[in-house]
Amino acid sequence: MDYGISGQNTQIIQDVSLNVNIDGWLVYLLIFFGLALMLFMARKIILWLALNSKYHEHIIYLLRVPKEKPSEKDQPSAQNYLQRLREEISRGETIFKAIGGLKAESWHKNFAWLIGRNDHFSFEIVADHKFISFYVVAPRAMGRYIEQQIQAFYPEAVLEEVPDYNIFSARGQIAAGFIKTKRSFIFPLKTYNKMEADPLNSLVNAMSKLDEDESLAIQYVVRSSRRGWHDKVNRVVSSVNQGKKLSEALKINLLSKILSFLGDLADAAKPKAEASKPEKENRLTAMEQEVLKLIEEKNSKAGMDVNIRLVAGARDLPRAKVFLNNMIRSFSQYNYYQYGNVLSNKTPFYNNYIQKFLIKDFIYRRFKPSLSFILNTEELASLYHPPLAGAETPNIRWLLAKYSAAPSNIPDEGIILGKNIYRSVSTEIKMKREDRRRHTYVIGKSGVGKSVLLASMAIQDIANGEGVCVIDPHGDLINDIISRIPPERADDVILFAPADISRPLALNLLEFDPRYPEQKTFVINEMIKIFDKLYDLKATGGPIFEQYMRNAMLLVMSDPESGSTLMEIPKVLADPEFRKMKLEKCKDPTVVDFWRKEAEKAGGEAALANVVPYITSKLTSFISNDTMRPIIAQQESSFNLRDIMDAKKILLVDLSKGLIGEMNAHLLGMILVGKILMSALSRTDMPQEKRVDFYLYIDEFQNFTTDSVNSILSEARKYNLNLIIAHQYLGQLVKGQDTSIKNAVFGNVGTWLLFKIGSEDAEVMAKEFAPVFNQYDLINIEKYTAYVKLLMDNTASRPFSMSTIWPLPGIKREDLANKIKSLSRLKYGQDRNIIEAEIMRRAQAHT
């Protein structure tokens, strides 16, 4: 009996112990689940705080592509137009393929499991201040990657790193919203391959009618999806193929799998008779088959998690809401009502709290998993791609002209012309001394940067101790150069500024070196060509003017001591006594015979009286001009051009047309160019190796050259006279049907630098810069940017783009510039009163 009681007690103790153990496990389970729930909630809170507070450092690119007028084959009415359109849009898909191919950021990396992933990109279309811009935003660490991927398929595109834009106004109102797909992510949207036009046109057209103070932005924040989405689609497709309805297959999840497993166990326990009942076969309808096909097509491409946000700004909130709703309606073109998915408007206008969060998410480009859905690369390319060249939407920020990389064998010595900046790589463009001897040609409209380039080159030459002459028809170029001359070269400067009438420098147009008798003929021929260019003598004067003018100059120059300037030409024609004195000292029999046997005997002085006014009328505007007379009436020039060249001095010629007049500027410029060529040709008296380089810069050179430019361009390089010539348009090189100057330039110039030009010139110049650049590029090239065909080791390079140097090299010294001007005046100029007295004395000496 005791044993029975003892056994009963033992059983009771065991039951109690078991209950205690069970209760203990329940407690542990409750504690475990409680802790798990707390950790889950804590992670959710931390993740929410991280997503709504942290700022990920990113890089912002402005994406621009060239805008070209589509050819006839690219018109909508042309054959295969749709195929070419889709091929062009598919280039944009490669951008998203590059992102979709990236491995999703691991949960353990950078605490992604706790604070969220940071491997998302943002693609944005922004209308602000009446311009529509395309942006690409990437994590800073991935900026180079996305840039390379885009430019691999858009080599002509430019991605410019820019500061973040701001579409918000202190006085405006903002409305924000987002879009999600209505059905499961496995269902596709309608893509460009199912459309008859570029779907992007509808979106940007809705953004093109905004006022200056209104804005509209679309933001696609994307990141690569985890591979699990493909598996889910495969399971759905597999289930449908096994006989399930699509609606049932979509409901398959972990819980449904467990229930299905338990159901299978129950079925296995039933009698065979019951288990062998045939199931009703589910046949797919034609619509379901089409849907399944589209689902499989979507699944065949890389997928990305996507947030789509929209933000509109306007003067008042109702107007901003109108803009936002209009934009959302434009997305309806992607809806696949019958076979696929639909984009649903999720704009919470009613909730200011959510609006603020949406705007913050837009500003910081946050990725919100709760608002995301999955699209594949084709769907994303339909929503965003660089604008096509044929797009007619106004105000898109196009790339005005293409850029091209410099050759890999750019010289590493010589002066710097500028920089080639291509795909964030900057290359200095240098030009060797030997290549500069084949001359440099610059063309471009006014105000595009020609003078900046010339100034930069000349300043470098001066700093390098070279001999330089700059002929400037405006004056600004000279001011830029003279203010940057190094102190050690101040004594080398000769400033020839005809507008300085108080102490002018002398330039005798008929002066020549007696050691080189052939120079006399050269001077006379140049003078005839100059007057022909100034007055079109072939049309108005004919051979009579040339005959009398030539013999008058020969007679005057036969005895320089008695006066040999332009002032003596009218005297030798109109004053018999002066002519007689000159004839007595002339040793050229042909000249004497002309005056005594032809001019004086054939009609005598009466006949001469008829010729004289016609000739002197061409000279009066110069010799009676208070500005020109003190310059051209002095017997000896203030400087010797041959000495300037050989001694590497600096001659700055300020022929500002606004101060001295256009005709005077042209005359002096042409005389100087001719004399410089004459001095260069006189270098035949020295060996080739002793002929130092001399650089002649001529802005608006067509005004200062005659037909002798042919010999300058072809012969001057042998004498180390290196030309840098610039002008505005090709029509300046053609006179009537005479294209000799143009042909001389095109046939002899080694290096070409082309700034923005007009449409007519672009037709001609495009042949020189093809196939890299076309007419559209030449017309629209940006300011201070040039297309270059650089001579390298006597071989022309493939054309490339170049930005000119700014600011100009050298240190600007205004005080030193004023001192240099004063020094030049004192050394080379002469008091005007003394000059006028000398002119008067000479005039009275032979009366």
Side-chain angles (χ1 to χ4, degrees):
M1 193 69 180
D2 294 336
Y3 290 107
I5 295 172
S6 177
Q8 187 177 7
N9 291 337
T10 301
Q11 182 66 41
I12 292 171
I13 291 170
Q14 289 177 349
D15 291 343
V16 171
S17 298
L18 179 62
N19 290 334
V20 170
N21 289 336
I22 292 173
D23 291 342
W25 280 107
L26 287 174
V27 171
Y28 290 142
L29 284 174
L30 289 173
I31 292 172
F32 173 78
F33 283 113
L35 290 173
L37 181 62
M38 289 174 63
L39 287 173
F40 176 78
M41 295 302 297
R43 178 184 174 275
K44 282 287 186 181
I45 293 171
I46 293 172
L47 182 61
W48 186 88
L49 290 173
L51 290 175
N52 289 282
S53 62
K54 72 174 182 177
Y55 174 78
H56 295 296
E57 186 180 6
H58 49 244
I59 185 170
I60 302 170
Y61 292 107
L62 172 63
L63 173 61
R64 292 183 296 160
V65 294
K67 165 67 174 171
E68 299 178 15
K69 185 178 180 181
S71 59
E72 291 184 5
K73 68 177 183 178
D74 294 325
Q75 297 294 338
S77 58
Q79 288 184 338
N80 301 323
Y81 163 76
L82 194 56
Q83 178 183 346
R84 285 192 296 273
L85 176 70
R86 289 171 179 172
E87 288 174 354
E88 189 65 22
I89 297 175
S90 68
R91 287 207 294 166
E93 187 177 347
T94 60
I95 302 173
F96 299 107
K97 285 180 179 178
I99 298 174
L102 295 173
K103 185 179 180 181
E105 190 174 60
S106 302
W107 288 109
H108 64 275
K109 186 176 181 181
N110 298 325
F111 298 97
W113 65 274
L114 183 62
I115 61 174
R117 291 166 56 181
N118 182 32
D119 58 347
H120 56 269
F121 299 78
S122 182
F123 296 85
E124 301 167 10
I125 308 174
V126 180
D128 187 34
H129 293 91
K130 291 194 171 183
F131 285 100
I132 300 173
S133 306
F134 287 70
Y135 293 94
V136 177
V137 185
R140 184 159 292 277
M142 297 295 291
R144 186 65 176 160
Y145 171 78
I146 196 66
E147 183 180 356
Q148 291 172 339
Q149 294 301 315
I150 293 174
Q151 291 183 325
F153 294 92
Y154 288 88
E156 73 281 6
V158 168
L159 276 86
E160 179 186 359
E161 185 178 349
V162 295
D164 205 349
Y165 58 84
N166 180 14
I167 64 171
F168 304 107
S169 171
R171 293 177 294 178
Q173 296 292 321
I174 298 295
F178 66 96
I179 295 175
K180 287 188 69 175
T181 49
K182 197 170 186 178
R183 303 180 68 184
S184 170
F185 69 85
I186 73 168
F187 292 102
L189 294 172
K190 187 181 290 185
T191 67
Y192 65 88
N193 279 321
K194 302 292 190 297
M195 298 183 183
E196 304 299 316
D198 182 4
L200 197 65
N201 288 342
S202 179
L203 299 183
V204 294
N205 281 335
M207 309 174 82
S208 63
K209 301 292 180 67
L210 304 179
D211 291 337
E212 182 74 22
D213 57 347
E214 296 169 341
S215 58
L216 191 58
I218 308 172
Q219 185 181 80
Y220 306 96
V221 184
V222 305
R223 69 183 187 187
S224 59
S225 295
R226 301 193 184 278
R227 294 186 55 83
W229 82 277
H230 288 292
D231 298 334
K232 180 174 181 178
V233 176
N234 290 333
R235 287 195 300 269
V236 171
V237 173
S238 177
S239 298
V240 174
N241 288 330
Q242 291 175 10
K244 289 186 180 291
K245 291 184 179 181
L246 183 58
S247 58
E248 295 175 354
L250 287 172
K251 295 177 182 178
I252 296 175
N253 52 33
L254 180 61
L255 179 61
S256 64
K257 284 183 178 180
I258 295 172
L259 294 175
S260 176
F261 175 73
L262 294 175
D264 291 341
L265 290 177
D267 290 340
K270 290 180 181 180
K272 291 184 179 180
E274 295 182 17
S276 61
K277 289 181 181 179
E279 293 185 1
K280 185 178 179 181
E281 183 180 358
N282 178 43
R283 291 189 177 182
L284 297 177
T285 64
M287 178 178 173
E288 287 177 325
Q289 290 176 355
E290 180 65 24
V291 170
L292 208 62
K293 177 184 175 183
L294 293 174
I295 290 173
E296 289 180 312
E297 286 180 0
K298 175 171 182 174
N299 194 40
S300 67
K301 297 191 176 185
M304 275 163 284
D305 302 327
V306 182
N307 286 170
I308 301 180
R309 300 189 186 96
L310 301 99
V311 175
R315 292 182 294 273
D316 53 71
L317 192 58
R319 188 171 176 83
K321 290 179 180 179
V322 169
F323 291 153
L324 201 62
N325 286 327
N326 288 342
M327 176 55 66
I328 290 172
R329 291 189 191 102
S330 299
F331 280 88
S332 63
Q333 63 182 319
Y334 300 101
N335 293 344
Y336 228 142
Y337 296 103
Q338 190 174 9
Y339 300 121
N341 223 324
V342 174
L343 288 172
S344 176
N345 177 12
K346 300 292 183 181
T347 304
F349 288 136
Y350 57 87
N351 193 319
N352 291 334
Y353 180 78
I354 297 178
Q355 281 281 311
K356 290 179 180 178
F357 268 97
L358 280 174
I359 294 170
K360 284 186 177 180
D361 292 343
F362 169 82
I363 294 172
Y364 295 115
R365 298 176 174 89
R366 294 167 178 156
F367 187 90
K368 290 297 185 68
S370 60
L371 306 181
S372 71
F373 55 98
I374 295 176
L375 296 178
N376 72 1
T377 56
E378 185 177 320
E379 292 169 316
L380 273 168
S382 305
L383 292 164
Y384 180 99
H385 57 260
L388 304 186
E392 298 300 329
T393 304
N395 304 327
I396 292 177
R397 290 181 69 175
W398 299 99
L399 177 64
L400 297 179
K402 289 197 289 285
Y403 294 85
S404 179
S408 58
N409 59 333
I410 284 290
D412 55 3
E413 60 179 284
I415 68 164
I416 301 172
L417 301 180
K419 288 185 178 180
N420 172 256
I421 302 174
Y422 186 70
R423 299 186 180 179
S424 302
V425 178
S426 179
T427 305
E428 281 191 341
I429 305 303
K430 295 184 178 181
M431 190 175 180
K432 291 163 56 172
R433 180 185 296 271
E434 293 78 10
D435 295 323
R436 297 185 68 188
R437 291 172 183 162
R438 285 290 303 274
H439 314 305
T440 303
Y441 173 57
V442 185
I443 182 172
K445 289 184 174 182
S446 177
V448 295
K450 299 190 305 296
S451 296
V452 171
L453 174 65
L454 296 182
S456 173
M457 294 174 68
I459 291 167
Q460 291 180 73
D461 282 334
I462 291 170
N464 293 336
E466 304 287 355
V468 172
C469 175
V470 181
I471 300 178
D472 177 18
H474 307 296
D476 295 336
L477 176 59
I478 295 296
N479 290 333
D480 286 337
I481 294 172
I482 202 168
S483 62
R484 291 172 173 82
I485 290 177
E488 62 272 16
R489 299 219 62 189
D491 196 48
D492 294 336
V493 178
I494 304 168
L495 176 61
F496 179 49
D500 181 7
I501 59 175
S502 62
R503 196 174 180 86
L505 277 65
L507 180 64
N508 185 359
L509 281 58
L510 304 182
E511 189 178 30
F512 67 98
D513 192 335
R515 295 176 297 173
Y516 307 100
E518 67 277 5
Q519 285 191 3
K520 180 190 291 186
T521 303
F522 184 91
V523 169
I524 291 173
N525 289 338
E526 276 298 295
M527 288 299 300
I528 297 295
K529 291 175 183 177
I530 288 169
F531 279 100
D532 182 25
K533 185 170 182 177
L534 292 175
Y535 296 107
D536 194 13
L537 299 178
K538 292 178 182 177
T540 59
I544 296 296
F545 177 89
E546 180 177 345
Q547 184 183 33
Y548 275 83
M549 187 68 175
R550 181 181 297 276
N551 281 280
M553 286 189 288
L554 283 168
L555 183 56
V556 167
M557 295 166 71
S558 62
D559 181 37
E561 292 183 1
S562 58
S564 177
T565 69
L566 211 61
M567 296 287 292
E568 276 70 42
I569 300 295
K571 288 187 67 176
V572 84
L573 289 168
D575 188 343
E577 294 299 322
F578 183 76
R579 184 169 60 248
K580 180 180 178 181
M581 181 271 294
K582 281 286 190 181
L583 285 169
E584 289 174 354
K585 297 182 180 182
C586 181
K587 297 178 181 179
D588 187 342
T590 58
V591 176
V592 174
D593 287 346
F594 170 79
W595 287 106
R596 289 179 175 170
K597 296 179 181 180
E598 292 186 40
E600 293 179 353
K601 286 193 174 181
E605 294 298 328
L608 267 176
N610 294 327
V611 175
V612 169
Y614 178 72
I615 297 175
T616 56
S617 64
K618 307 296 186 291
L619 306 175
T620 301
S621 58
F622 304 114
I623 61 179
S624 63
N625 186 304
D626 289 341
T627 300
M628 292 290 288
R629 186 175 61 254
I631 297 171
I632 64 175
Q634 297 186 62
Q635 186 61 41
E636 292 187 10
S637 296
S638 299
F639 47 86
N640 184 296
L641 288 165
R642 171 66 185 272
D643 291 342
I644 290 174
M645 296 176 70
D646 292 345
K648 295 186 176 182
K649 293 191 176 182
I650 305 164
L651 176 60
L652 304 178
V653 183
D654 183 359
L655 299 179
S656 180
K657 291 185 283 189
L659 298 176
I660 65 172
E662 187 172 1
M663 188 75 77
N664 295 335
H666 290 176
L667 175 67
L668 293 174
M670 284 187 281
I671 290 296
L672 279 167
V673 171
K675 285 184 175 292
I676 290 171
L677 175 60
M678 185 174 68
S679 299
L681 296 176
S682 71
R683 286 180 160 186
T684 52
D685 63 355
M686 65 167 57
Q688 173 73 40
E689 62 273 10
K690 291 187 177 181
R691 299 171 189 168
V692 297
D693 287 292
F694 189 78
Y695 298 95
L696 173 58
Y697 293 82
I698 313 176
D699 196 8
E700 305 297 344
F701 86 101
Q702 79 284 349
N703 294 325
F704 307 122
T705 56
T706 61
D707 296 341
S708 60
V709 70
N710 299 329
S711 60
I712 295 176
L713 292 170
S714 60
E715 301 292 333
R717 67 183 183 87
K718 300 174 185 177
Y719 303 98
N720 291 40
L721 174 61
N722 312 322
L723 270 68
I724 302 92
I725 54 178
H727 73 117
Q728 295 179 7
Y729 57 94
L730 293 177
Q732 295 171 321
L733 308 184
V734 179
K735 187 176 181 180
Q737 301 298 318
D738 184 8
T739 60
S740 58
I741 295 179
K742 176 185 171 183
N743 296 337
V745 171
F746 277 47
N748 291 286
V749 166
T751 295
W752 300 55
L753 292 106
L754 185 147
F755 290 84
K756 184 175 181 178
I757 57 176
S759 56
E760 291 184 8
D761 290 349
E763 292 182 18
V764 178
M765 301 301 283
K767 299 174 184 176
E768 298 288 339
F769 287 81
V772 181
F773 304 111
N774 57 29
Q775 293 184 36
Y776 186 89
D777 298 320
L778 305 188
I779 295 170
N780 293 284
I781 187 170
E782 294 180 345
K783 191 176 182 181
Y784 302 124
T785 303
Y787 291 147
V788 183
K789 282 179 65 178
L790 183 67
L791 196 69
M792 299 185 297
D793 297 325
N794 209 31
T795 302
S797 72
R798 182 180 176 86
F800 60 91
S801 55
M802 183 193 79
S803 299
T804 53
I805 298 174
W806 187 261
L808 292 172
I811 301 172
K812 192 172 184 179
R813 304 177 178 90
E814 292 290 353
D815 293 342
L816 181 61
N818 294 329
K819 292 177 181 178
I820 291 173
K821 292 176 183 179
S822 300
L823 179 62
S824 175
R825 293 176 77 246
L826 292 172
K827 284 179 66 176
Y828 301 99
Q830 194 172 6
D831 187 86
R832 181 185 180 88
N833 295 325
I834 298 175
I835 297 171
E836 293 286 3
E838 175 60 22
I839 294 172
M840 186 63 67
R841 186 195 63 76
R842 270 204 342 259
Q844 295 175 349
H846 305 291
T847 55

